[in-house]
């Protein structure tokens, strides 16, 4: 089971940022209810939640960078508590839409090293990640997670092979991936 949510639409017939949601059942993709808020691209991405309890955080669209949060219950998207700052392009991980961890990304035109935890009601600041970057992959839960790779723009971009582990208290760098 998987979930594909929002993104940037491309020609032909491009209309900008999508509000679409699709579910995968192991064989086919099916379009289901759209997100309830703004269409967007570049939200926090990673291995987060399950098909019946997931989270969509931040993103960007022509109106700017967003701090919107939406929770998915397997049928509908509803507004969650807004993210601490408008942001996009970071990593997210978590076991459900009520237990998530974000890290890095872009906010206010700068690459950030912040990390936040969501409990379904509010966001709490965590220790910062060790290497400031965006567009990483996130895996795990809100108390035991990994972030891998990433880039540091502007061009020429710096590409990272870094891997950091969150143990529920702090981030530490562990063995790097073989290719940035």
């Amino acid at each position: 089971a998987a979930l594909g949510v929002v993104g940037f639409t491309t020609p032909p017939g491009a209309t900008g940022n999508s509000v679409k949601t699709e579910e995968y059942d192991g064989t086919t993709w099916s379009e289901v209810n759209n997100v309830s808020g703004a269409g967007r691209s570049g939200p926090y991405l990673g291995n987060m939640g399950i098909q019946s309890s997931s989270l969509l955080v931040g993103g960007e669209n022509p109106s700017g960078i967003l701090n919107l949060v939406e929770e998915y219950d397997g049928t509908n998207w509803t507004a969650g508590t807004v993210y601490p700052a408008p942001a996009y392009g970071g990593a997210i991980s978590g076991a459900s839409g009520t237990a998530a961890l974000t890290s890095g990304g872009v906010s206010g035109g700068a690459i950030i090293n912040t990390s936040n935890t969501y409990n379904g009601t509010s966001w709490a600041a965590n220790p910062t990640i060790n290497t400031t970057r965006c567009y990483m992959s996130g895996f795990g839960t809100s108390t035991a997670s990994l972030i891998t790779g990433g880039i540091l723009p502007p061009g020429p971009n710096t590409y990272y092979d870094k891997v950091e582990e969150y143990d529920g208290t702090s981030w530490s760098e562990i063995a790097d991936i073989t290719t940035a």
Side-chain angles (χ1 to χ4, degrees):
L3 196 61
V5 183
V6 302
F8 187 74
T9 57
T10 58
T15 57
N17 292 279
S18 173
V19 293
K20 304 272 186 215
T21 301
E22 293 195 17
E23 290 183 349
Y24 183 68
D25 64 8
T27 304
T28 59
W29 288 93
S30 301
E31 190 170 322
V32 294
N33 291 332
N34 293 342
V35 297
S36 60
R40 63 195 93 164
S41 60
Y44 278 73
L45 296 174
N47 181 10
M48 197 274 131
I50 58 176
Q51 197 176 60
S52 61
S53 180
S54 194
L55 201 62
L56 176 62
V57 177
E60 62 180 331
N61 66 22
S63 67
I65 300 173
L66 308 172
N67 66 341
L68 300 177
V69 172
E70 293 194 52
E71 299 173 2
Y72 187 65
D73 64 8
T75 304
N76 296 304
W77 289 97
T78 56
T81 304
V82 296
Y83 196 64
Y88 68 96
I92 190 169
S93 54
S96 72
T98 59
L101 172 71
T102 61
S103 51
V106 181
S107 182
I111 310 303
I112 56 175
N113 64 351
T114 57
S115 173
N116 295 283
T117 305
Y118 186 63
N119 65 9
T121 305
S122 61
W123 290 96
N126 292 333
T128 58
I129 61 175
N130 294 296
T131 302
T132 302
R133 60 199 191 268
C134 57
Y135 301 116
M136 314 156 270
S137 294
F139 310 92
T141 69
S142 60
T143 58
S145 186
L146 295 177
I147 54 174
T148 63
I151 65 170
L152 181 62
N157 292 332
T158 301
Y159 294 87
Y160 289 103
D161 59 359
K162 305 269 183 230
V163 176
E164 292 187 48
E165 179 179 40
Y166 183 67
D167 63 7
T169 305
S170 61
W171 289 96
S172 54
E173 188 171 332
I174 60 173
D176 294 340
I177 55 178
T178 56
T179 305

